[in-house]
Amino acid sequence: MSDTPSLHTDESRYSTAKLLRRLLALAWQFRVDCLLSLALSIILLLLGLVGLQLLGTAIDVIRHALDPTAVPPAYPFGWKPPANWSPLHVVTALSLAIVAQAVLRSVLTYSYNMTTVRLTQGKIVPELRGKLYSKIQRLSFRFFEVHGSSSIFNRLTGDVQNTRLFVDGVILQGLNMLITLAAYFLYMWKIQASLTLACLSVTIPLALVTHYYSNRLRPGYQKNRDLYDGLVEVFSQSVLGIQTVKGFAAESDRIKKFETGNRAVASQQQKIFWDLSVFTPITHFLSQLSLVILFAYGGWLYVQGRIPLGGGLVVFAGLLQQFTGQVANLSTIANSVQQSLTASKRVFEVLDTPIEVENNSNPVKPSRLKGNLVFDGVTFGYVPQTPVLKNLSFTAQSGQVIGIFGMTGAGKTSLLGLIPRFYDPQQGRILIDGMDLRDLDLDEYRRQIGIVYQESFLFSNTVAANIAFGSPYATQDQIEQAARAASAHDFIMALPKGYNTVLGESGADLSGGQRQRLALARALLLQPPILILDDPTASVDAKTEHEIVSALRHAMEGRTAFVVANRLSLLRRADRILVLEEGRLVQEGTHDQLAHIHGPYQDAAVLQLMDLAREERSAA
Ligand SMILES: Nc1ncnc2c1ncn2[C@@H]1O[C@H](COP(=O)(O)OP(=O)(O)OP(=O)(O)O)[C@@H](O)[C@H]1O
Ligand SMILES: [Mg+2]
């Protein structure tokens, strides 16, 4: 078992270089789609260049027609108009070609967008989300103890989206940008080298500004995600705990708390926005500057006759505008780099979290167990240095009911948690039918254990589906049989739609005792050789307790049962009672034996008998 807390918070593991490498690997997984998308964008680029060149030529044709002393037009792509064509013919033909180019570009832009969306939203996001979800499902309890549910939700939703941004917003856009810049540069260079250098001199400060802001933005994004987690946490806790909130009239407190969080997110977001709003105008200013240079210096060159008008200056202006536009795009890409690095770290952290309790390399698939359970010198702590169970040894024979008694915090729930192997002990071993739990196939083993907790979680689904939660193939008959065994059948039949009644969230429309009996039916449907009951009557009244206890009596028959209880009504029926004190086994015996030995059990028994006597007296 590893001691590491749930997440890999080890920063060196998430250095920028390592994150980039993993993100590239993610993109590589979808290389065919990426290439298709890239190919389409290159075709679009080439078509754009063709269109621009045709426009320049058309201008030169008109200019030559108006002033035959001007330089004759140079026709591109080795094309020459037939000698008998008038300039009008030529301009018409060029215009038609430009229109055809524009139509083709629209169609290709559409398919480019479709390809990219299909890649990101249709493939990458579902893949990542699926991976993350199934990892979260398999993670051990410790993960959920360390991480708030909101942080987990946000990672599954927002962070997955921002991680995929690396593929379309960084790699595809970045490559597209590089290719476009190279193509434009060569084209401009071919038209006029010195003009190219003059105009592009502003791209160096542009790139520097971009770099500066990109570094400045990243910590802001990280902080933003963390603050947002906190905000969602406040929100979801208020919804889940609405009863407590209202019960303690704490609404205005919660609202204040939310407002504080809300303001923190907003002001943090404002800071990011502030940086962005300085950054974007600077880049725009710099790109405009290059146009000024173009018209000053380029105009002079034209007057000198060193550059043609259409095929030279006009085409150049078009190229330059797009060139600087692409450079300004750098900021968007830099932004996406930061966003996707921050998000991917949060996604990878979950994916990298080791599953603490896992099958070994060659697990034994147990057939139906008999239920002989042995704790052999078991020491366990949630934090290895502070054990909550200390050197526990006991044996439970098949079919026995083992009661577990102890003060709050004595380690009863912790002991029960070791039986289905929610955690592994640090020392000692636990054997079932002679096999070490660590050698068994976890799923197969856990399927043979029925569990009822102190409070049971019911899903927003029908009663039948809730009972059949662990046994999706159960028939209606089997479900009803389990419900009868759990004394739940009668109250279920009294519900508006019987077994098909849909329960509210967490079964909010049932009483505590009803919920416990549903949970018991759910556990019994598995026909488990081992049954674990963690204080199932803790939160119900005496009458309901009586109903549950008599239901349990049937339920425990023929199974090895472990029952945590503080009330003697349940413990009295146990074949053996283990008494825990601060994680140690201090007494062991039947109710009758323990009730006659001085110790914590006797103390509790006396107190409860006195209570009972007092109740009876006051009733009389
Ligand atoms: N998930 C956890 N992480 C860290 N410590 C825990 C965790 N669960 C329980 N503990 C600690 O372990 C000790 C034993 O707790 P446990 O829940 O087993 O007691 P218990 O006997 O079931 O108490 P109760 O009667 O109140 O249910 C306590 O000191 C508790 O604080
Ligand atoms: Mg407990």
Side-chain angles (χ1 to χ4, degrees):
M1 191 182 114
S2 99
D3 308 349
T4 24
S6 303
L7 279 193
H8 269 281
T9 35
D10 173 14
E11 288 302 317
S12 67
R13 189 177 174 134
Y14 300 108
S15 64
T16 304
K18 284 185 183 158
L19 284 176
L20 285 176
R21 204 169 316 143
R22 292 179 74 167
L23 284 167
L24 285 172
L26 175 74
W28 182 248
Q29 216 184 317
F30 298 97
R31 54 192 175 277
V32 175
D33 298 82
C34 287
L35 275 179
L36 182 62
S37 175
L38 205 60
L40 282 170
S41 62
I42 291 174
I43 296 173
L44 279 170
L45 165 73
L46 292 178
L47 276 174
L49 290 179
V50 168
L52 202 56
Q53 182 60 54
L54 291 176
L55 180 70
T57 310
I59 291 175
D60 284 341
V61 170
I62 296 169
R63 169 111 187 88
H64 188 67
L66 293 176
D67 174 10
T69 60
V71 197
Y75 291 103
F77 317 119
W79 178 70
K80 244 188 143 39
N84 56 350
W85 277 19
S86 69
L88 186 63
H89 268 117
V90 178
V91 171
T92 311
L94 286 171
S95 307
L96 285 176
I98 290 172
V99 170
Q101 173 269 150
V103 170
L104 193 54
R105 256 162 73 97
S106 312
V107 173
L108 286 178
T109 304
Y110 171 79
S111 64
Y112 169 79
N113 288 339
M114 290 307 284
T115 309
T116 315
V117 169
R118 207 168 41 225
L119 167 63
T120 56
Q121 301 305 329
K123 293 189 179 170
I124 301 177
V125 168
E127 149 105 11
L128 268 181
R129 216 162 29 203
K131 256 196 189 157
L132 210 59
Y133 180 76
S134 56
K135 175 77 188 207
I136 289 172
Q137 286 289 303
R138 283 186 298 119
L139 278 171
S140 310
F141 277 86
R142 201 182 300 274
F143 175 82
F144 300 94
E145 284 156 10
V146 175
H147 293 283
S149 51
S150 322
S151 166
I152 300 176
F153 292 153
N154 289 342
R155 285 167 204 252
L156 195 66
T157 52
D159 290 326
V160 162
Q161 282 294 351
N162 284 345
T163 301
R164 75 109 236 286
L165 191 63
F166 187 80
V167 176
D168 58 333
V170 177
I171 296 193
L172 290 182
Q173 279 218 41
L175 282 177
N176 188 14
M177 184 188 75
L178 286 179
I179 294 170
T180 310
L181 288 181
Y184 286 176
F185 180 79
L186 288 177
Y187 211 150
M188 288 192 283
W189 188 266
K190 214 187 98 212
I191 296 175
Q192 232 297 328
S194 65
L195 184 61
T196 309
L197 291 180
C199 290
L200 296 190
S201 59
V202 292
T203 50
I204 292 167
L206 198 61
L208 289 179
V209 169
T210 306
H211 182 70
Y212 170 75
Y213 272 96
S214 146
N215 281 341
R216 204 183 141 96
L217 283 169
R218 180 147 160 220
Y221 280 117
Q222 170 79 50
K223 180 122 188 277
N224 189 262
R225 293 307 296 174
D226 291 345
L227 284 174
Y228 194 69
D229 275 359
L231 188 67
V232 177
E233 184 88 40
V234 174
F235 177 69
S236 69
Q237 294 232 320
S238 301
V239 171
L240 291 174
I242 188 73
Q243 226 175 7
T244 314
V245 172
K246 284 197 186 299
F248 286 82
E251 290 101 324
S252 50
D253 244 28
R254 298 299 297 182
I255 292 175
K256 253 190 234 133
K257 196 158 180 202
F258 188 79
E259 269 173 5
T260 314
N262 207 1
R263 258 198 308 273
V265 172
S267 73
Q268 162 71 16
Q269 224 147 23
Q270 214 157 19
K271 258 188 226 136
I272 296 181
F273 183 71
W274 176 247
D275 276 349
L276 275 178
S277 60
V278 175
F279 174 48
T280 319
I282 293 181
T283 54
H284 281 165
F285 170 74
L286 286 174
S287 32
Q288 291 304 312
L289 201 61
S290 63
L291 277 185
V292 175
I293 297 174
L294 168 71
F295 286 116
Y297 182 47
W300 181 78
L301 285 174
Y302 172 67
V303 173
Q304 298 279 309
R306 286 167 58 186
I307 185 171
L309 180 66
L313 214 48
V314 171
V315 173
F316 201 101
L319 290 172
L320 184 63
Q321 207 153 24
Q322 297 194 31
F323 188 93
T324 46
Q326 284 287 346
V327 173
N329 231 346
L330 255 178
S331 69
T332 316
I333 296 177
N335 202 354
S336 305
V337 170
Q338 300 308 340
Q339 258 178 295
S340 56
L341 283 177
T342 312
S344 66
K345 175 168 176 266
R346 287 165 51 96
V347 169
F348 290 145
E349 272 175 351
V350 176
L351 291 180
D352 297 344
T353 301
I355 299 175
E356 288 173 43
V357 176
E358 242 185 330
N359 277 346
N360 70 16
S361 52
N362 193 13
V364 178
K365 290 203 172 184
S367 51
R368 188 168 171 84
L369 295 167
K370 292 197 195 65
N372 290 307
L373 195 95
V374 176
F375 269 56
D376 180 12
V378 169
T379 295
F380 164 74
Y382 296 92
V383 188
Q385 299 80 348
T386 43
V388 298
L389 296 175
K390 297 159 196 162
N391 196 18
L392 275 193
S393 295
F394 65 87
T395 303
Q397 304 288 345
S398 167
Q400 274 189 336
V401 174
I402 305 291
I404 299 166
F405 176 82
M407 306 288 278
T408 175
K412 305 179 295 291
T413 301
S414 309
L415 187 159
L416 293 186
L418 295 185
I419 298 175
R421 213 187 150 205
F422 290 150
Y423 304 87
D424 281 331
Q426 272 97 33
Q427 282 169 33
R429 48 189 199 145
I430 303 169
L431 306 174
I432 181 83
D433 294 354
M435 295 172 283
D436 194 313
L437 294 193
R438 283 173 284 216
D439 297 332
L440 294 181
D441 181 89
L442 208 52
D443 284 353
E444 294 285 322
Y445 170 57
R446 284 188 184 157
R447 256 180 230 133
Q448 305 205 31
I449 302 178
I451 308 180
V452 179
Y453 297 99
Q454 218 164 45
E455 302 227 352
S456 298
F457 186 85
L458 299 176
F459 296 87
S460 327
N461 206 334
T462 62
V463 170
N466 265 289
I467 296 178
F469 181 71
S471 342
Y473 301 111
T475 63
Q476 182 66 23
D477 265 0
Q478 290 168 321
I479 292 175
E480 285 194 28
Q481 217 174 342
R484 280 207 177 84
S487 305
H489 179 74
D490 292 342
F491 87 76
I492 294 173
M493 291 313 285
L495 292 174
K497 289 186 180 164
Y499 281 86
N500 294 323
T501 310
V502 175
L503 300 177
E505 202 162 291
S506 324
D509 40 12
L510 293 181
S511 75
Q514 290 172 331
R515 299 175 48 149
Q516 289 304 76
R517 279 177 282 163
L518 274 197
L520 183 60
R522 172 154 77 194
L524 292 182
L525 186 55
L526 293 170
Q527 301 274 9
I530 303 168
L531 190 62
I532 293 179
L533 308 163
D534 190 354
D535 217 351
T537 59
S539 55
V540 300
D541 58 37
K543 181 173 170 289
T544 318
E545 182 189 358
H546 183 75
E547 285 172 22
I548 297 180
V549 170
S550 58
L552 283 177
R553 223 171 340 162
H554 290 307
M556 295 190 293
E557 263 165 34
R559 313 179 196 284
T560 312
F562 296 85
V563 192
V564 165
N566 275 308
R567 310 213 190 155
L568 304 185
S569 53
L570 255 176
L571 290 177
R572 277 158 73 161
R573 300 197 165 76
D575 293 297
R576 199 142 40 91
I577 299 166
L578 310 176
V579 181
L580 289 186
E581 231 176 34
E582 294 182 6
R584 284 182 206 287
L585 183 58
V586 291
Q587 284 188 305
E588 194 176 346
T590 63
H591 170 79
D592 286 335
Q593 287 167 345
L594 292 174
H596 292 100
I597 308 173
H598 182 66
Y601 190 84
Q602 194 186 41
D603 296 347
V606 169
L607 281 177
Q608 289 191 25
L609 284 176
M610 267 165 41
D611 274 352
L612 206 64
R614 203 172 320 135
E615 271 170 31
E616 276 167 6
R617 253 203 318 276
S618 58

